[in-house]
């Protein structure tokens, strides 16, 4: 299991693949860390699966700072990546200032969505010595401009753009990059092209690791689960069972 981002290049070369999950609070982060997860992502998916927002564009820096601090208080070993939310990196100065605030909460690295389009912001972060994780492919923060969540890498133009984004982030010094919802063959091509570790989500099996939104893995957000995410527990059903058992016993006068 990973103890430092410095181990990423060796893991890319020799394996095993990186197992990455999201966490947003103290108990979940502590359980993931103690279970041996390689990397923990405080994803801006928190907006949807914790705060009930319709997409991630309503997530603020204040929310990310609060969740990052809670996660970092829990984690003793796994590097923690903190997501930079929508509109928190509109210029190199803003990106650097907000990246520093997340690092001050105890994060090991920051992540933002975009490649060539955000190179100046990425460079400002990396040149300040802050470990950086890229995120390319389907970009949830762009859902409104894109008119939905669409798989990337289906056309020659999309493939060229993805390869250019991956190369640019790699050259800028990203230690890893999330490849989200990318045609598997293109994700495999990017993985072979870059020195950074690729972490796939809905991008096939040939990446250096995989990331999932933890409620999708645990079945604790039953109202939506992406088709590629395999639920390995049914916490929603178990919660309903426990709550209904408690209600029945309280009503019968046999529980306190
Ligand atoms: O916010 C998030 O959870 C993410 C993952 C989907 C990679 O960025």
């Amino acid at each position: 299991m990973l103890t430092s981002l410095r181990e990423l290049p060796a893991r890319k070369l020799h394996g095993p693949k990186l197992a990455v999950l999201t966490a947003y609070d103290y108990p979940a982060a502590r359980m993931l860390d103690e279970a041996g997860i390689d990397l923990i992502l405080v994803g801006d998916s928190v907006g949807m699966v914790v705060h009930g927002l319709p997409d991630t564009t309503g997530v603020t820096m204040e929310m990310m700072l609060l969740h990052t601090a809670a996660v970092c208080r829990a984690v003793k070993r796994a590097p923690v990546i903190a997501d930079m939310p929508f509109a928190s990196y509109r210029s190199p100065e803003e990106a650097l200032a907000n990246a520093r605030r997340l690092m001050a909460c105890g994060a090991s690295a920051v992540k933002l969505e975009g490649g060539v389009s955000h190179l100046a912001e990425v460079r400002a972060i990396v040149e300040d010595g802050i470990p950086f994780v890229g995120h390319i492919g389907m970009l949830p923060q762009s859902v409104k401009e894109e008119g939905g969540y669409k798989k990337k890498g289906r056309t020659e133009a999309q493939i060229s753009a993805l390869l250019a984004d991956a190369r640019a982030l790699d050259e800028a010094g990203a230690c890893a990059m999330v490849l989200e919802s990318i045609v598997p063959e293109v994700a495999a091509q990017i993985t072979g092209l870059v020195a950074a570790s690729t972490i796939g989500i809905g991008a096939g099996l040939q990446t250096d690791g995989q990331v999932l939104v933890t409620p999708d893995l645990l079945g604790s957000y039953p109202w939506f689960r992406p088709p590629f995410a395999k639920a390995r527990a049914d916490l929603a059903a178990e919660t309903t069972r426990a709550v209904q058992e408690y209600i029945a016993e309280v009503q019968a006068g046999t529980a306190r």
Side-chain angles (χ1 to χ4, degrees), residues 22 41 43-45 83 111 135 178 180 201 211 213:
T22 63
L41 169 66
D44 63 352
S45 49
D83 244 347
K111 167 168 95 57
H135 186 154
V178 169
E180 181 159 4
I201 176 162
V211 58
V213 171

Side-chain angles (χ1 to χ4, degrees), residues 52-247:
L53 295 170
D55 57 52
T56 58
T57 63
V59 177
T60 62
M61 266 307 290
E62 281 56 44
M63 290 160 80
M64 292 309 300
L65 291 168
L66 203 65
H67 289 288
T68 301
V71 165
C72 291
R73 274 195 288 276
V75 173
K76 290 203 167 65
R77 174 202 44 85
V80 173
I81 305 163
D83 244 347
M84 302 199 61
F86 183 76
S88 71
Y89 49 93
R90 291 166 293 186
S91 68
E93 295 73 27
E94 184 178 49
L96 180 56
N98 283 324
R100 284 178 174 166
R101 292 171 78 195
L102 290 165
M103 294 299 284
C105 293
S108 312
V110 299
K111 167 168 95 57
L112 66 76
E113 295 183 9
V116 172
S117 61
H118 284 93
L119 215 45
E121 288 72 34
V122 173
R123 285 196 182 120
I125 291 168
V126 174
E127 281 165 16
D128 198 55
I130 297 174
F132 175 75
V133 175
H135 186 154
I136 59 173
M138 196 273 282
L139 305 179
Q141 291 176 13
S142 305
V143 62
K144 288 178 181 152
E145 294 104 280
E146 295 262 320
Y149 299 104
K150 295 179 184 153
K151 202 164 196 86
K152 291 293 164 77
R154 292 191 200 274
T155 65
E156 283 307 319
Q158 284 182 1
I159 295 170
S160 303
L162 284 169
L163 295 178
D165 283 341
R167 268 198 210 96
L169 291 177
D170 206 41
E171 283 166 17
C175 61
M177 59 185 82
V178 169
L179 307 183
E180 181 159 4
S181 201
I182 292 178
V183 169
E185 292 71 26
V186 182
Q189 197 181 341
I190 292 170
T191 299
L193 186 75
V194 296
S197 298
T198 59
I199 303 169
I201 176 162
L205 297 177
Q206 288 174 274
T207 51
D208 299 313
Q210 297 286 337
V211 58
L212 275 185
V213 171
T214 299
D216 295 339
L217 175 89
L218 298 181
S220 58
Y221 192 87
W223 308 279
F224 172 77
R225 175 161 46 85
F228 56 79
K230 179 174 167 185
R232 292 167 199 272
D234 191 350
L235 293 197
E238 181 59 9
T239 303
T240 304
R241 186 205 59 73
V243 170
Q244 289 178 342
E245 183 181 289
Y246 172 70
I247 294 168

